[in-house]
Structures are given as C-alpha cells and as structure tokens.
Amino acid sequence: MKAIFPILALLAAPVVMTQTCVAGNIGAMQGYLPVNGTMTSGYAITPEFTQEFAKMQQALVTRLQALPADKQQAFMENYDPMVLIPYSEDLWPARADYDAYKAEWKKVRTKLVREVGVGLRPSVNDTWTVLSVTSDPQTNRTAPLTISALRYDGGRNVWISNNGELAAKDFQATEDHVYGAQTGTEWTLTKEDSLSRMTETIRFTRATDGKEVYLYYSFSERSAISNSVIAQGSYVLMFPVRSAAVNAGTPGSR
C-alpha cells in the first residue's frame, strides 16, 4: 500500500508488546497505544468478500424478506454484520447450503483503506486525550479522526464524549468475527428521548494470536418517531503489533 502522507514517518511508532510506565492511571487502555504523546501507525480497514459470497448474501436477503414480519424483526435485532450469521432453518434450505455460506465467509480479506496514526497524551486527573491523524486520499490533506474529540478517564475506566460518558464492558469475539478471534473492552453510551435514540461506541481489542490491535468507533442517531437515520458513521482501525525482535506479520491477512 502506497504511503499517502509522510507525516506518519515522523510521528508514528509501531505498537509494541510492552510500554514504558508514565504518570497517570491508564486503566484498561494499558498496552493498546503509545501514551507519551506519540502516535502509532495503522490502517483504516474494511472487509473484502468474494463475489461468490456476495451472491450468497443476496440470496439470503431474498429469503429473509420472504419471512413474516415478526421473524424479520427478530433477525435484525440480533444481526451483527461483523459476525457470521448462525444457522437457521428459516434462511437456508439445507445445512449443506449454510456450510457453503460459512466456508465462503471464511475467505474474507482485510482491505487497507488508508493510513492512520493514533496515540494517547496524558492530561489531568488520570485523563488522556487522543492524538490522531489521517489523510483525505482525494486532497492529500491531513486531519484528525473523530475519536480525537473523546477523552479517556483511566481512574474510572470511562470514555467521555460531548454526548456523555461511555461505560465499559468486556468484549470477546470468536473466529466467526470478520476480523478473527479477539478480546478487549467496549465502551458504550445510549441516550433516548422523545425525539431520538443515540448510541456511541468505542472498542479496543487484541487479536488472540497477538498480531493486531483493533480500534472500533461508531455513532448512530435515529428518529424515535420514524426510526429513520439522523446521523451515523463507523470505522475500524488496525494496528500491526511488533516486538523488538519479531515482525508480527503482513497487514491484510487474517
């Protein structure tokens, strides 16, 4: 992948397996990012599926749309596009069809979209500000990511945004996750009133094989009246993990 902005060569350092201790409580963020005001280099990523899987997915959508409304609603309430859909007799004519679908899902590749840099800088009272940079591939201008508007409180283990505090819970994904098995922490804020429902999430995880760190961020606001989308957006960042002696592998492979 061609480097799209040389500034990362000056500011970024690879994620390492251990970090030097600094003043301030880093809480659950220990070991994920640099904490001394520098940034680690990584990539904004997206899953890339095969054409055969796309055909299978379209056939699945057609079968889903043929189901009664209550079954469609139940499916959507549990649907996570980042995780392999579990087998259902309502959606696959035979188990063999599902097995073929699962096998095609496993062929997903990680597509590197653009380079990013992210790090933490100590602030006051065990809080940390986010340093980040990316580049618009059209203009080649650098700009911070939206996560730079958030702060982390290591003493209370909460992320703080303009919308309020995001509460922590453990996160674990199996090999059925689109980016493979991983564990970490997810912080979420949900607010609802008579006009809208808003959800904001930030998640940091490590691949169970130790080769990558992942950062997931999403924001969604929907009308409480029509359920239509008012605003939404999300992205996943991947940071290859390296030690002083061993290169951790090639980005883009699972």
Side-chain angles (χ1 to χ4, degrees), residues 23-24 35 120-130 151-152:
V35 293
L120 294 174
R121 179 171 56 193
S123 186
V124 296
N125 299 326
D126 289 332
T127 63
W128 303 79
T129 57
V130 179
R151 292 179 294 120
Y152 178 65

Side-chain angles (χ1 to χ4, degrees), residues 58-121:
Q58 184 55 55
L60 175 65
V61 170
T62 300
R63 291 193 292 271
L64 177 63
Q65 291 173 337
L67 295 178
D70 59 334
K71 288 191 174 184
Q72 291 186 42
Q73 181 177 352
F75 174 87
M76 293 308 300
E77 288 175 352
N78 296 287
Y79 176 62
D80 183 346
M82 306 298 284
V83 179
L84 176 68
I85 299 170
Y87 173 71
S88 168
E89 292 181 352
D90 290 329
L91 296 176
W92 283 276
R95 185 68 191 226
D97 296 314
Y98 176 75
D99 291 342
Y101 176 89
K102 181 176 181 178
E104 209 63 31
W105 166 276
K106 294 294 185 180
K107 297 177 183 178
V108 63
R109 298 282 294 175
T110 299
K111 180 179 180 180
L112 310 182
V113 179
R114 66 180 67 176
E115 287 186 279
V116 298
V118 180
L120 294 174
R121 179 171 56 193

Side-chain angles (χ1 to χ4, degrees), residues 16 18-22 30 35-36:
V16 294
T18 59
Q19 294 183 332
T20 302
C21 294
V22 297
Q30 177 65 42
V35 293
N36 59 357

Side-chain angles (χ1 to χ4, degrees), residues 9-252:
L10 300 177
L11 297 180
V15 175
V16 294
M17 297 305 292
T18 59
Q19 294 183 332
T20 302
C21 294
V22 297
N25 187 346
I26 193 60
M29 287 299 300
Q30 177 65 42
Y32 282 113
L33 297 171
V35 293
N36 59 357
T38 63
M39 290 184 287
T40 185
S41 60
Y43 306 90
I45 60 174
T46 188
E48 187 172 56
F49 293 96
T50 66
Q51 292 184 351
E52 183 61 28
F53 180 82
K55 294 177 183 178
M56 292 180 172
Q57 191 76 345
Q58 184 55 55
L60 175 65
V61 170
T62 300
R63 291 193 292 271
L64 177 63
Q65 291 173 337
L67 295 178
D70 59 334
K71 288 191 174 184
Q72 291 186 42
Q73 181 177 352
F75 174 87
M76 293 308 300
E77 288 175 352
N78 296 287
Y79 176 62
D80 183 346
M82 306 298 284
V83 179
L84 176 68
I85 299 170
Y87 173 71
S88 168
E89 292 181 352
D90 290 329
L91 296 176
W92 283 276
R95 185 68 191 226
D97 296 314
Y98 176 75
D99 291 342
Y101 176 89
K102 181 176 181 178
E104 209 63 31
W105 166 276
K106 294 294 185 180
K107 297 177 183 178
V108 63
R109 298 282 294 175
T110 299
K111 180 179 180 180
L112 310 182
V113 179
R114 66 180 67 176
E115 287 186 279
V116 298
V118 180
L120 294 174
R121 179 171 56 193
S123 186
V124 296
N125 299 326
D126 289 332
T127 63
W128 303 79
T129 57
V130 179
L131 302 174
S132 70
V133 64
T134 189
S135 177
D136 185 329
Q138 302 300 321
T139 65
N140 208 36
R141 293 180 178 177
T142 59
L145 296 159
T146 52
I147 54 172
S148 284
L150 278 67
R151 292 179 294 120
Y152 178 65
D153 187 326
R156 296 188 297 130
N157 191 26
V158 297
W159 279 89
I160 305 164
S161 79
N162 293 330
N163 302 302
E165 294 186 353
L166 287 67
K169 65 178 181 181
D170 292 339
F171 178 86
Q172 184 171 358
T174 70
E175 286 293 340
D176 286 339
H177 191 279
V178 71
Y179 296 125
Q182 52 192 268
T183 58
T185 306
E186 178 178 279
W187 293 262
T188 301
L189 167 67
T190 300
K191 297 175 67 174
E192 187 171 5
D193 56 28
S194 59
L195 296 178
S196 67
R197 174 183 173 87
M198 184 274 293
T199 301
E200 187 173 19
T201 299
I202 188 168
R203 178 196 307 150
F204 282 85
T205 62
R206 295 180 181 86
T208 55
D209 63 8
K211 291 183 178 181
E212 294 93 15
V213 161
Y214 293 95
L215 189 169
Y216 168 82
Y217 175 77
S218 70
F219 176 86
S220 175
E221 185 175 11
R222 288 181 173 270
S223 168
I225 300 172
S226 64
N227 200 39
S228 58
V229 175
I230 298 173
Q232 68 177 8
S234 66
Y235 48 82
V236 181
L237 311 180
M238 179 186 72
F239 303 95
V241 175
R242 297 178 178 89
S243 66
V246 181
N247 188 308
T250 302

